[in-house]
Amino acid sequence: MMTAQIKEFPGVGLRESDFEQRKVLYTEWVPNARYAWDAGVAIGRYLAELKEGRLIGVRCRHCRRTVIPPRVFCEWCFRPMDEWVPLPDTGTVNTFSLCYVTWDMRRLTEPEIPAVIDIDGTHPPVGILHLLGEVEPQAVQIGMRVQAVWKPPEERTGSILDIRYFRPVREG
Amino acid sequence: MGMRKVAVVGAGMTKFVRRALETGKELAFEAAKMALDSCELTLQQVDCVVHGTAPDAFDGVHMKGEYLADGSGAWRKPYTRCYVGGGTGVFAPIHGWYHVASGLFDICLVVCEEKMSSCQPHPQGAFLTIFDHTTERPLGPNLLWIFALEMNRYMHTYGLSKRDIALVSVKNKRNAADHPCSLLGDREITVEDVLNSEVLAWPVQRLDVSPVTDGAVAVVLAAEHVARRITDKPVWIEGVGWNLDTTYWTNRDLCYPRYVENAARMAYEMAGISEPRKQIHIAEPYDPFDYKELHHLEGLLLFDRGKAPEATALGITQRDGDLPVCPSGGLLGVGNPIAAAGLMKVAELFWQLRGEAGARQVPGQPRRGVAQAWGDLMQVGTVIVMGV
Amino acid sequence: MAILEKVDKLHQAIAWQGDIPITNRYTAGVAGERFLREIKDHARILGTRCPDCDLVYVPAALFCERCFAQLDEWLEVSSQGRVFTFTVLFRDLEDRPLDPPAVLAYVKLNGSNGGLVHYLGEVEPDQVFIGLEVEAVFKEASEREGSILDIRYFRPLKR
């Protein structure tokens, strides 16, 4: 049987108005899905360091690499990652986006600027996800040098949000 | 390796629509029934059933594989659901393939379904949890971020423009105009339309993205001795491959999908393909975003790194080009009901290699094709090579 | 650092709280649409029959799961049936006490191979037994909206 011979494929498409005007029967359900996700060992330490205003990574001696975010095992060689490495709070923009919509597709007038920032001192260079700030959206470039802007110590809670955002490194 | 030859002998699908009236079970049934009818088999003759579907949260049904079992024809049969995120649609027939290749079963029905419209206000609400809950989700991400970041890195690495990439969207949406099930086929679309569409997360614009979709697709697999009795045009599964990269996506080189290359090498080796650029006649790479088609063509070793855009501009990937890519219309044109979209690519190879694709038929009697899907935490590649 | 570090104070366990912010919207589907509209418009329960397998599906189904035939033989089944099995609920989903307790049953409907899971009403929990004959109590026509809750509950059949 050839697809070319099938006159009408099954499947009935509806419009949003069919729901609004109750032309079709439907039910709604809001799952009561609330979670508390444990930080775990490595990320627990990462958050504790963030609260102190520091970035920390881990090193795998076998693979000779230093990575962030920290993890308790190296997913390359499956050995424990047990050497903590303090890292500077500076880095390089690996890639970025200018995002004009929220997850539920509402428009933003000013874009958010998510970026992957390769953190100095990692080897080979690897990054974390964060936001850029104190920069004109059109001025952001891949390769731009950036540094973390921290919340004041009394506002820090041990969260990735203890870094407000990364901003361009100012010369001098 | 002592494995039996396995063929695709039948295929079926529903229309891909934005919001389906049908329940997920009903969509699955329609596709599965059409696949069985297409090769004149009854459900009784099916030895086992494989189902592929993406996260439970899309349909809003926990244990979705179990919920969809009756619509997939699994009543009192050996039945499994497999799930590797967006890669599921190509992994499900691989899962079915090893059931049959191993000698355990002779006939396997493979069904993929997705009903994303159940997820309100937007399926992104379910996608959000793919970001690390502690180190990323507090930043308020949305799924587009990942694609935008990867696309920007890809453009930067190879010095590509938005126009280079928009050509893919134009090609696929035009191809889809010939697909009777397509949601977004558009013969008249131009590059300017894509470049002028709403900016969502630069560099991603509205027409760079495939839509939220409902639909189902099914194929029937059979062992060689059975396949030859069922049809005189079996399409053989010549090679399969799958591979995952690190979960730490911000630690990865975003401009090249090495995991797709690894999966492709596995499938090519099994298929005895040493020169994929000569030996592959049709490609159906995963194209949820236009740059992803380019990304994946390079990972499939069909073009040098950074060179797929140039080939696209030269028309090589058009339906009548030297290497037709997504002659179906792909996810950008036909639609993207996640798992079903991947299996649609396998069904397309089945129809193309049998010369049954109608208005979409690639000229020149193609004899071998590759289909690929991508997903999980942006890190899985699933590849299948089919030939006649 | 040990792989397993002991958490001996609760505040040492750091957890990020969140949810999955979605609302699910389920269509009744092709068969479900007709099944529920019949309840809404006529207070009647419909099934679909598979002639080959000689089965009547309730709730009505689009297809026979056994032989994969598309079902187009619709018929009215009785709104009376028997309690096939039941349970008495003393707590709700949030673990609050239910007073009075609710009785939930699977009612097999006469003239069909299927039935409905629903509440029982107008009966004391200790009066319920497997095999009890029951009938559907529908809401008033003006209150019905094409939902399984258009049936208020099943109650013991009065003789």
Side-chain angles (χ1 to χ4, degrees):
Chain A
M1 183 171 68
M2 296 165 57
T3 43
Q5 291 177 340
I6 296 171
K7 293 216 166 46
E8 187 68 24
F9 281 78
V12 179
L14 299 172
R15 294 189 174 85
E16 195 58 31
S17 58
D18 294 333
F19 291 89
E20 287 158 5
Q21 296 163 16
R22 297 242 155 210
K23 285 186 181 165
V24 289
L25 296 175
Y26 65 93
T27 48
E28 285 192 326
W29 164 261
V30 181
N32 183 15
R34 295 198 50 77
Y35 296 85
W37 292 289
D38 286 326
V41 175
I43 297 301
R45 170 83 186 263
Y46 184 54
L47 298 181
E49 295 286 340
L50 283 167
K51 194 170 181 184
E52 302 304 318
R54 294 190 294 256
L55 284 178
I56 196 163
V58 285
R59 181 172 140 84
C60 175
R61 274 173 282 205
H62 182 78
C63 297
R64 295 168 176 268
R65 62 178 191 140
T66 300
V67 296
I68 187 172
R71 58 213 70 169
V72 295
F73 59 90
C74 174
E75 77 273 19
W76 290 7
C77 68
F78 229 47
R79 288 179 169 82
M81 284 258 209
D82 51 7
E83 187 181 332
W84 293 95
V85 181
L87 295 170
D89 64 354
T90 52
T92 304
V93 173
N94 174 294
T95 182
F96 69 94
S97 169
L98 308 178
C99 189
Y100 290 89
V101 288
T102 60
W103 69 268
D104 52 356
M105 302 308 274
R106 283 175 292 117
R107 292 294 298 177
L108 298 168
T109 41
E110 285 303 309
E112 288 185 297
I113 314 178
V116 174
I117 297 146
D118 288 344
I119 299 298
D120 291 345
T122 55
H123 177 82
V126 293
I128 59 170
L129 178 70
H130 219 294
L131 298 163
L132 301 183
E134 294 183 41
V135 60
E136 282 302 310
Q138 304 311 323
V140 181
Q141 288 184 336
I142 288 175
M144 181 182 259
R145 300 281 301 144
V146 293
Q147 70 181 103
V149 175
W150 296 87
K151 285 183 181 168
E154 63 276 13
E155 288 180 29
R156 295 203 288 256
T157 58
S159 150
I160 192 66
L161 300 179
D162 291 346
I163 296 175
R164 279 192 211 282
Y165 46 76
F166 283 75
R167 72 167 180 219
V169 171
R170 288 175 189 149
E171 299 304 329
Chain B
M1 282 190 274
M3 292 181 297
R4 303 195 298 176
K5 279 181 78 172
V6 181
V8 182
V9 295
M13 70 185 288
T14 67
K15 282 181 199 151
F16 283 4
V17 297
R18 177 65 185 79
R19 300 165 198 83
L21 168 66
E22 288 84 355
T23 61
K25 286 171 190 271
E26 290 173 341
L27 288 172
F29 163 74
E30 295 284 7
K33 175 81 170 162
M34 188 189 292
L36 289 175
D37 287 350
S38 77
C39 52
E40 297 178 1
L41 287 179
T42 64
L43 189 59
Q44 257 191 335
Q45 292 169 284
V46 171
D47 297 320
C48 74
V49 178
V50 163
H51 191 93
T53 190
D56 293 356
F58 282 163
D59 283 45
V61 178
H62 194 48
M63 311 285 279
K64 195 174 157 191
E66 288 70 9
Y67 166 77
L68 292 166
D70 55 342
S72 306
W75 182 72
R76 290 188 185 167
K77 289 188 193 295
Y79 173 73
T80 42
R81 170 207 185 171
C82 63
Y83 173 49
V84 287
T88 302
V90 170
F91 190 74
I94 294 175
H95 188 51
W97 168 86
Y98 52 69
H99 281 347
V100 180
S102 65
L104 197 56
F105 302 106
D106 286 340
I107 296 179
C108 174
L109 174 62
V110 180
V111 186
C112 286
E113 177 274 355
E114 216 73 64
K115 193 170 181 194
M116 299 173 75
S117 68
S118 306
C119 197
Q120 299 287 322
H122 196 282
Q124 283 222 33
F127 270 132
L128 290 177
T129 51
I130 71 171
F131 289 93
D132 185 275
H133 44 68
T134 305
T135 61
E136 294 174 347
R137 219 179 141 189
L139 299 168
N142 73 59
L143 189 72
L144 290 166
W145 283 17
I146 283 188
F147 293 95
L149 293 166
E150 195 174 70
M151 179 170 171
N152 194 13
R153 188 69 199 174
Y154 179 64
M155 289 167 61
H156 173 82
T157 303
Y158 301 113
L160 304 170
S161 70
K162 285 274 315 180
R163 182 174 292 268
D164 296 329
I165 290 172
L167 290 171
V168 173
S169 186
V170 172
K171 169 179 69 73
N172 290 3
K173 289 179 197 292
R174 285 185 184 174
N175 281 352
D178 293 320
H179 201 303
C181 299
S182 84
L183 175 60
L184 286 185
D186 183 353
R187 226 177 287 285
E188 310 299 326
I189 192 171
T190 65
V191 175
E192 302 308 323
D193 293 335
V194 180
L195 296 178
N196 293 330
S197 64
E198 179 189 11
V199 177
L200 301 176
W202 188 90
V204 172
Q205 293 175 252
R206 175 74 65 179
L207 294 181
D208 294 314
V209 193
S210 57
V212 170
T213 314
D214 297 348
V217 180
V219 298
V220 182
L221 308 183
E224 182 174 16
H225 66 289
V226 182
R228 292 195 190 279
R229 290 207 301 269
I230 295 171
T231 176
D232 52 8
K233 287 198 287 185
V235 177
W236 304 105
I237 296 178
E238 297 182 336
V240 300
W242 65 99
N243 199 279
L244 274 91
D245 205 333
T246 178
T247 312
Y248 296 91
W249 67 278
T250 59
N251 287 187
R252 226 173 46 217
D253 179 357
L254 294 174
C255 70
Y256 184 72
R258 186 173 294 279
Y259 46 95
V260 172
E261 178 185 327
N262 291 354
R265 286 190 185 281
M266 176 178 165
Y268 292 159
E269 186 184 337
M270 192 181 299
I273 292 175
S274 51
E275 294 181 277
R277 291 175 202 194
K278 289 184 185 160
Q279 293 170 278
I280 298 284
H281 306 150
I282 303 178
E284 279 279 346
Y286 204 59
D287 61 324
F289 290 65
D290 42 13
Y291 82 95
K292 286 305 273 182
E293 171 172 312
L294 304 166
H295 218 224
H296 294 148
L297 284 172
E298 293 165 18
L300 289 167
L301 307 171
L302 297 172
F303 297 100
D304 289 343
R305 292 189 191 191
K307 295 298 182 195
E310 191 180 311
T312 304
L314 290 171
I316 290 170
T317 60
Q318 293 287 340
R319 195 179 277 147
D320 58 358
D322 286 350
L323 179 66
V325 176
C326 291
S328 63
L331 281 51
L332 288 163
V334 188
N336 187 10
I338 313 286
L343 193 59
M344 180 271 288
K345 291 178 170 290
V346 173
E348 181 70 10
L349 290 185
F350 173 73
W351 289 317
Q352 289 284 355
L353 296 173
R354 281 162 64 108
E356 296 178 352
R360 304 189 309 286
Q361 184 61 49
V362 166
Q365 294 184 318
R367 300 191 56 249
R368 189 180 286 111
V370 63
Q372 173 258 335
W374 162 93
D376 271 350
L377 297 169
M378 303 74 66
Q379 98 239 68
V380 72
T382 52
V383 175
I384 196 163
V385 175
M386 291 159 58
V388 290
Chain C
M1 179 181 68
I3 289 285
L4 292 174
E5 285 182 352
K6 192 172 158 198
V7 175
D8 50 17
K9 294 194 177 65
L10 198 58
H11 70 263
Q12 290 176 342
I14 304 166
W16 185 267
Q17 309 226 349
D19 58 7
I20 302 182
I22 54 181
T23 299
N24 294 126
R25 184 172 74 185
Y26 310 101
T27 57
V30 174
E33 185 85 21
R34 182 159 170 192
F35 175 75
L36 290 175
R37 287 214 183 269
E38 191 71 14
I39 291 177
K40 177 177 189 283
D41 296 342
H42 303 293
R44 286 199 300 234
I45 298 172
L46 294 186
T48 47
R49 181 168 176 273
C50 177
D52 289 338
C53 301
D54 194 22
L55 288 173
V56 176
Y57 285 89
V58 178
L62 178 68
F63 58 91
C64 174
E65 65 172 350
R66 301 193 180 194
C67 71
F68 242 31
Q70 185 139 358
L71 304 181
D72 44 24
E73 187 183 333
W74 288 73
L75 65 160
E76 183 185 352
V77 301
S78 174
S79 61
Q80 299 178 359
R82 288 173 185 272
V83 171
F84 186 75
T85 185
F86 70 97
T87 181
V88 184
L89 308 173
F90 293 92
R91 294 207 160 250
D92 71 9
L93 270 179
E94 270 76 46
D95 203 29
R96 289 175 302 228
L98 275 174
D99 188 27
V103 185
L104 190 84
Y106 175 53
V107 176
K108 277 203 111 164
L109 291 173
N110 297 338
S112 84
N113 301 89
L116 297 173
V117 173
H118 219 301
Y119 292 101
L120 298 189
E122 300 181 35
V123 63
E124 291 301 317
D126 59 5
Q127 302 293 307
V128 180
F129 57 91
I130 288 175
L132 176 66
E133 288 187 85
V134 292
E135 64 178 348
V137 177
F138 291 89
K139 288 182 180 168
E140 292 303 315
S142 59
E143 290 178 54
R144 295 200 295 262
E145 47 190 21
S147 152
I148 195 65
L149 299 179
D150 290 352
I151 298 172
R152 221 182 273 285
Y153 46 71
F154 283 80
R155 71 175 171 208
L157 197 57
K158 299 202 171 95
R159 300 211 170 260

